[in-house]
C-alpha cells in the first residue's frame, strides 16, 4: 500500500479584535505597573491580570494552520504563536462531496445549502485566489488554502470530487 504524505502551512490574516485587545492590554499592564511603583495597592493585581490577558490575546492573534494529508485523510492543526499546537479537525477524503475553487461554477449546486461554515484559509482574497471550498458530509462547508502538491495528492485519490478549474 502506498502512502502519500503532504503538508502545507497557511498563515491567515489576523482578526482585528485580538490584535487591538493585545495592544490595549499591554498598555494597561505598563500603566498599572508604573502605578504599582508609585505605591497604589490594587494596581499590582490589575497589572498582573492585564498581563495574563495580553498573553492569551497574543496567542489568539498569531495563528497559523497546518494541513496534513496522509493516506486519504486531511487533518488540520492550529498553531498558536508558534509555540502551541492543537489538532482542530480531521477529514476523510471518502466522505468529502466536492473540493473546488471558491469562485468555481461547480459549487453552484451547493450555494443554497444551509451548512456550518468553517474557515481554515488565509481569510483574504488574493490574486489569483488560492482558496478552495470543501463540502463534507453534507453539513459542513470548509474553506481551505491548500498547496498545489496537496491538491494533486487529493485528486489522485478522488479524481471525481476534486476540481481545479
Amino acid at each position: 500500500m502506498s502512502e502519500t504524505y503532504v503538508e502545507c502551512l497557511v498563515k491567515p490574516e489576523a482578526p482585528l479584535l485580538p490584535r487591538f485587545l493585545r495592544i490595549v492590554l499591554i498598555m494597561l499592564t505598563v500603566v498599572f505597573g508604573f502605578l504599582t511603583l508609585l505605591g497604589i495597592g490594587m494596581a499590582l493585581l490589575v497589572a498582573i491580570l492585564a498581563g495574563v490577558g495580553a498573553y492569551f490575546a497574543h496567542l489568539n492573534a498569531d495563528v497559523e494552520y497546518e494541513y496534513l494529508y496522509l493516506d486519504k485523510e486531511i487533518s488540520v492543526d492550529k498553531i498558536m504563536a508558534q509555540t502551541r499546537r492543537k489538532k482542530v479537525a480531521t477529514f476523510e477524503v471518502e466522505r468529502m462531496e466536492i473540493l473546488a475553487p471558491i469562485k468555481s461554477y461547480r459549487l453552484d449546486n451547493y450555494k443554497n445549502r444551509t451548512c456550518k461554515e468553517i474557515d481554515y484559509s488565509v481569510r483574504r482574497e488574493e490574486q489569483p485566489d488560492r482558496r478552495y471550498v470543501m463540502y463534507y458530509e453534507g453539513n459542513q462547508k470548509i474553506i481551505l488554502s491548500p498547496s498545489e502538491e496537496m491538491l494533486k495528492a487529493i485528486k489522485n485519490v478522488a479524481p471525481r470530487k476534486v476540481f481545479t478549474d
Side-chain angles (χ1 to χ4, degrees), residues 99-115:
L99 178 67
I102 197 163
K103 293 185 179 178
S104 175
Y105 69 91
R106 297 180 191 271
L107 296 173
D108 289 344
N109 294 336
Y110 298 90
K111 296 230 187 256
N112 293 331
R113 283 191 181 181
T114 55
C115 297

Side-chain angles (χ1 to χ4, degrees), residues 20-30 49-54 57:
F20 176 74
L21 189 61
R22 179 179 63 180
I23 292 169
V24 169
L25 288 172
I26 289 172
M27 290 183 348
L28 283 174
T29 303
V30 171
L49 290 175
V52 170

Side-chain angles (χ1 to χ4, degrees), residues 38-83:
L38 294 175
I40 298 176
M42 290 299 285
L44 179 63
L45 179 64
V46 174
I48 291 172
L49 290 175
V52 170
Y55 171 74
F56 286 111
H58 171 68
L59 285 179
N60 290 324
D62 188 18
V63 173
E64 295 176 338
Y65 291 109
E66 183 180 49
Y67 311 140
L68 297 171
Y69 173 77
L70 178 63
D71 198 28
K72 299 181 183 179
E73 191 172 271
I74 303 168
S75 67
V76 180
D77 293 346
K78 183 178 181 180
I79 303 170
M80 298 175 281
Q82 297 180 347
T83 58

Side-chain angles (χ1 to χ4, degrees), residues 132-147:
Y132 279 74
V133 173
M134 175 174 69
Y135 280 92
Y136 187 74
E137 291 186 332
N139 60 357
Q140 291 180 341
K141 176 183 176 183
I142 295 107
I143 303 172
L144 303 168
S145 298
S147 64

